[in-house]
Amino acid sequence: MKLVSDVFALTYKVLAERTQADPQGRVTVEGKCQHEGIKNRNGRVYPKGSWGKHVSEGAAFKKGVLSRRVFGQMEHPDDGRSRVNLASHVLEDIWMGKDGEVHLRMTTTTNEHGKNLAELFKNGLTLGISSRGSGDVIRENYPGVGE
């Protein structure tokens, strides 16, 4: 097993009601963050069902997200481990959409990293989002990610 890291273009919308009502200036967005069955920017394909088992109700990862224990940072850490002192956002929910789409809702933090990310969202920039985990890369007809 090795660290597998993938980047996907985050397609998102700012949740204006929550963002405007937040006195601390946090920005909440929802959007598509991954897609099973299609090649991502790293040239890998997540097989159908590979994300679903992690984001379904009761799954350990989903429980972590719902309890606000899953966060991220703006830059990709070399060792794959996010540092809480560099957190720019926290995941609030993650779910499967139609046809293998993976969607999430996240809110920026109030530290300088979160404020920087909030400004990027407010300005409508196209941002990449990465997923990290441990596993095996399978190369057959196309490079895929093993379970």
Side-chain angles (χ1 to χ4, degrees):
M1 286 218 179
K2 68 175 203 164
L3 175 66
V4 177
S5 178
D6 283 305
V7 179
F8 196 86
L10 175 65
T11 53
Y12 64 92
K13 65 178 179 180
V14 173
L15 300 183
E17 302 154 3
R18 281 190 59 183
T19 299
Q20 292 167 355
D22 192 308
Q24 296 178 326
R26 292 177 293 212
V27 172
T28 299
V29 300
E30 280 187 1
K32 178 177 144 184
C33 62
Q34 265 298 350
H35 200 138
E36 296 176 336
I38 65 166
K39 194 178 289 190
N40 63 26
R41 286 175 39 185
N42 289 355
R44 289 191 279 265
V45 177
Y46 284 92
K48 293 282 186 177
S50 58
W51 272 93
K53 66 183 178 185
H54 298 293
V55 304
S56 62
E57 296 302 321
F61 181 70
K62 174 84 168 189
K63 287 179 182 178
V65 169
L66 294 176
S67 62
R68 298 176 55 88
R69 291 191 321 255
V70 179
F71 59 89
Q73 59 191 74
M74 287 181 61
E75 295 299 325
H76 201 285
D78 291 335
D79 63 3
R81 298 177 55 96
S82 295
R83 309 287 189 291
V84 71
N85 63 318
L86 301 176
S88 59
H89 58 281
V90 61
L91 271 63
E92 294 185 346
D93 200 0
I94 190 164
W95 63 93
M96 293 302 300
K98 62 181 180 180
D99 300 323
E101 293 182 351
V102 183
H103 293 262
L104 60 69
R105 180 174 53 251
M106 66 180 171
T107 298
T108 59
T109 58
T110 58
N111 65 17
E112 73 174 282
H113 307 291
K115 289 177 182 174
N116 289 339
L117 182 57
E119 289 304 313
L120 296 176
F121 282 140
K122 288 177 187 176
N123 284 287
L125 273 67
T126 301
L127 303 171
I129 188 164
S130 74
S131 59
R132 294 182 301 276
S134 59
D136 297 310
V137 175
I138 301 167
R139 299 199 182 276
E140 292 174 1
N141 294 339
Y142 57 82
V145 177
E147 311 252 335

